[in-house]
Amino acid sequence: MALDSTNKTARLYRMVMPGHLCPYGLKSKDLLERKGFDVEDNHLTSREETEAFKKDHGVDTTPQAFIGGERIGGYDDLREHFGQEVKGEDETSYQPVIAIFATAFLMALAVSWYAFGTVLTLRAFEWFIAISMTLLAVQKLQDVESFSTMFLNYDLLARRWVRYGYLYPFGEALAGILMIAGALIWIASPVAIFIGAVGAVSVFKAVYIDTRELKCACVGGSSNVPLGFVSLTENVMMLAMGIWMPIRMVWLG
């Protein structure tokens, strides 16, 4: 839909009540103002007023924006109108994984800088993997039930022993935390090797042998991250760290 460059006034109807301030109404107002529109901001201050507005305009939701006398719709409709990306509810996305790994990487560099005065250390790389494991575990631990359900779609051990799906995030968190501290590696390494190896085999079979299209449980049970390279990487990282840490302790002391 083309924009009318001569009309820079928009009307917005949004809920502004004592007990409820519509967040999408605020986002719509902000978006219109950032696009250079003077916004005629109409507040719907009661449920009755809101229902009457929806009935009069034949809409199911608010906010509703109008430009040049034409109804555009709600916040997502406005984004689409201005040519911005609108993600569907079931659309896959790597954004959660990118955020986790980027944060873990920066945290590892920060800790290395604090501990050694430089970011270029072997310990920084180890911390990156261990912190990544811990952050990924936190995502799963937010809703272990949902994670375990999604995990059953592809994990070979969980399909044989359902309780493993509940234990997995705790094991990942434990191994990651101990590796950050460099303590009790005799516990952390076997745990990381076991869950990393089982996970890697399970993901490889589901994706590359059975060619199934599944969502990854790696960042929690409600994620839209596709199963594949990311989950395989997570498990290979755990496996590699589980093997490396005992070697490091013997080699470097």
Side-chain angles (χ1 to χ4, degrees), residues 172-206:
E172 184 175 30
L174 174 65
I177 291 169
L178 292 178
M179 287 176 177
I180 291 172
L184 299 178
I185 298 304
W186 59 274
I187 294 177
S189 285
V191 171
I193 290 171
F194 181 81
I195 62 179
V198 173
V201 171
S202 298
V203 172
F204 188 84
K205 181 180 185 300

Side-chain angles (χ1 to χ4, degrees), residues 147-161:
F147 163 75
S148 64
T149 300
M150 186 180 291
F151 197 51
L152 285 169
N153 284 320
Y154 58 87
D155 190 83
L156 297 175
L157 179 55
R159 287 184 165 190
R160 289 180 173 272
W161 183 42

Side-chain angles (χ1 to χ4, degrees), residues 49-203:
E49 187 177 3
T50 301
E51 293 303 319
F53 169 83
K54 290 193 291 186
K55 182 177 180 181
D56 289 344
H57 291 84
V59 296
D60 296 324
T61 61
T62 60
Q64 292 292 323
F66 296 77
I67 297 176
E70 179 181 359
R71 185 177 70 83
I72 305 301
Y75 178 62
D76 285 344
D77 299 311
L78 274 177
R79 287 181 58 86
E80 186 175 356
H81 179 76
F82 291 126
Q84 298 182 0
E85 181 183 7
V86 178
K87 294 182 180 179
E89 290 185 4
D90 296 326
E91 185 177 346
T92 58
S93 172
Y94 287 99
Q95 184 174 336
V97 176
I98 293 172
I100 287 171
F101 282 124
T103 300
F105 180 69
L106 294 174
M107 288 176 67
L109 296 185
V111 175
S112 179
W113 181 272
Y114 176 79
F116 304 112
T118 177
V119 298
L120 301 176
T121 64
L122 174 62
R123 198 70 180 103
F125 181 71
E126 294 171 352
W127 277 326
F128 164 61
I129 297 178
I131 292 171
S132 296
M133 290 167 56
T134 307
L135 293 179
L136 287 166
V138 169
Q139 292 295 107
K140 300 174 179 71
L141 289 169
Q142 291 182 86
D143 189 345
V144 178
E145 191 68 41
S146 294
F147 163 75
S148 64
T149 300
M150 186 180 291
F151 197 51
L152 285 169
N153 284 320
Y154 58 87
D155 190 83
L156 297 175
L157 179 55
R159 287 184 165 190
R160 289 180 173 272
W161 183 42
V162 173
R163 299 306 300 175
Y164 176 63
Y166 294 88
L167 296 175
Y168 181 102
F170 292 96
E172 184 175 30
L174 174 65
I177 291 169
L178 292 178
M179 287 176 177
I180 291 172
L184 299 178
I185 298 304
W186 59 274
I187 294 177
S189 285
V191 171
I193 290 171
F194 181 81
I195 62 179
V198 173
V201 171
S202 298
V203 172

